Every structure is written in C-alpha cells, then in structure tokens.
C-alpha cells in the first residue's frame, strides 16, 4: 500500500500538512484517540459531515482489542514560570508508583468514569460527524484497553530508532516487518547497555 501511495507517509501526526489532507478529502481514514475529534473539527472545517468514528479494525473477527499510546502526565509546559521545580516534580512523580496509583485511582479515573457515564456528553449527536455521537464509540472501546501496559525505560531511544527504521521502509530500503524486527533488536541491545536483563523471542 505504501508503494501504491495508499498510505500517506509524508504528513506528520497533527501537523498542518495532515490537516490539509483531512480537509480536502485526500485521506480517507485516520487511526487515533478520542481527542482527535477536536482536531478534526478545528483544523478541517470544510470536511464537516464527511467523517465518522469507528472502532479500530481487529485482526480476528469478534475481537475487541484496543489501546492508547497516551501522552505524558509529567510534561513540562513551554513558558512555565518554574521549569526547574516542574522538572524535579515530574521526575519524582514518574518514579513514584504509589503516588501515581493514588492519583489515578482517586482523581483521574473517577473523573474519567464520570465523563464516560455522562449521557449529555457521550450520547449527544455531533453535527460535524454527521449526527453521530463519536464519544459513545470511544466509551465502548475504553472497556477493552489493556491497563497493565507499561512503557519501557528507554522509550526515547526506541521511538527514535522506530522512526528511522520506518522511514527506511517508506523509502523502499527495507520492509515494515524488517523495521519492527530491527527496532526490537536495537531496543534489546540498548536495554542491555543500561544493565537490564533482556530475553527475546
């Protein structure tokens, strides 16, 4: 599909070139999380009524696997008045699992559950999406997110390697499968260099 130009490998995620493809109809599908609905409405007004939300395609019929790459709970915002203090707190929070559990269980999840069970928010038809209630789709799929998922400690290196290897595949120097195998091997090697015991399949 890449060779045939079916998949756009040029427009970066949530960048102006991508917004143009949403707006002019040159992209027919976009995989992403619920917050993209706001991006579509704000960045592709000419496509109002042309988009709808659907569950992510499954490898096997009847499956409901879902996931979320997520953002960061410890990001430091540009323009903060106290960048050093913010960075120290972010580092402490990221390494303090008991505090994370308390925060998410006591506040974040409670707020999310309240949102997910609010019909006025979730089930209200959205004119931009042709009268569909897109959040109801995300609410259903949220039940299937694997909450035991954890990031590896070397994701910065993994992400950089994955970008490079996928770009090689997009350029025809390798295949998508080879890109993932190479990235996995690089990730394992990087972890070993950090003193982490790694076993691969």
């Amino acid at each position: 599909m890449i060779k045939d130009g079916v998949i756009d490998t040029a427009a970066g995620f949530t960048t102006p070139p991508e917004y143009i493809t949403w707006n002019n109809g040159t992209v027919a599908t976009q995989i992403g999380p619920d917050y993209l609905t706001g991006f579509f409405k704000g960045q592709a007004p000419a496509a109002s009524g042309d988009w709808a939300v659907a569950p992510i395609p499954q490898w096997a019929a009847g499956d409901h696997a879902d996931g979320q790459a997520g953002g960061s709970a410890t990001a430091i915002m540009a323009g903060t008045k106290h960048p050093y203090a913010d960075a120290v707190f972010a580092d402490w929070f990221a390494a303090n699992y008991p505090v994370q559990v308390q925060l998410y269980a006591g506040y974040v999840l409670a707020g999310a559950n309240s949102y997910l069970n609010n019909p006025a928010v979730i089930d209200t038809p959205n004119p931009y999406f042709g009268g569909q209630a897109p959040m109801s789709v995300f609410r259903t799929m949220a039940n299937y997110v694997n909450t035991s998922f954890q990031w590896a400690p070397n994701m910065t290196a993994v992400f950089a390697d994955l970008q490079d290897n996928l770009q090689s595949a997009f350029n025809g120097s390798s295949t998508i499968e080879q890109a993932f195998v190479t990235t996995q091997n690089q990730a394992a090697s990087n972890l070993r260099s950090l003193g982490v015991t790694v076993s691969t399949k």
Side-chain angles (χ1 to χ4, degrees):
M1 289 192 290
I2 292 174
K3 290 180 180 179
D4 292 339
V6 175
I7 297 175
D8 185 351
T9 62
F13 183 60
T14 60
T15 61
E18 185 177 58
Y19 303 150
I20 292 172
T21 66
W22 295 349
N23 226 357
N24 64 18
T26 55
V27 165
T29 187
Q30 174 82 38
I31 296 177
D34 60 347
Y35 65 75
L36 272 190
T37 57
F39 276 83
F40 272 90
K41 290 176 64 177
Q43 303 298 333
S48 180
D50 294 337
W51 290 93
V53 175
I56 193 164
Q58 302 295 306
W59 290 110
D63 281 355
H64 300 285
D66 193 24
Q68 160 66 317
S72 174
T74 56
I76 307 302
M77 303 300 290
T80 180
K81 293 182 179 180
H82 307 286
Y84 177 76
D86 289 349
V88 170
F89 173 80
D91 184 59
W92 169 80
F93 179 79
N96 199 323
Y97 184 69
V99 172
Q100 295 174 28
V101 170
Q102 184 178 11
L103 175 66
Y104 285 111
Y107 300 96
V108 178
L109 293 180
N113 286 333
S114 175
Y115 178 87
L116 289 171
N117 291 300
N118 185 343
V121 175
I122 298 299
D123 298 325
T124 300
N126 189 318
Y128 183 89
F129 293 95
Q132 179 194 30
M135 291 302 154
S136 64
V137 178
F138 290 108
R139 175 181 57 189
T140 299
M141 294 308 295
N143 295 320
Y144 303 107
V145 174
N146 183 350
T147 58
S148 66
F149 173 83
Q150 290 184 321
W151 290 111
N154 62 336
M155 286 310 300
T156 301
V158 172
F159 185 67
D161 288 337
L162 180 60
Q163 282 188 308
D164 291 342
N165 294 325
L166 284 176
Q167 191 60 58
S168 294
F170 296 158
N171 294 336
S173 301
S174 66
T175 66
I176 296 291
E177 182 180 9
Q178 288 170 336
F180 285 114
V181 170
T182 300
T183 301
Q184 177 173 293
N185 291 337
Q186 289 172 320
S189 177
N190 179 261
L191 284 172
R192 292 189 184 100
S193 73
L194 298 173
V196 179
T197 301
V198 179
S199 60
T200 58
K201 295 182 179 180

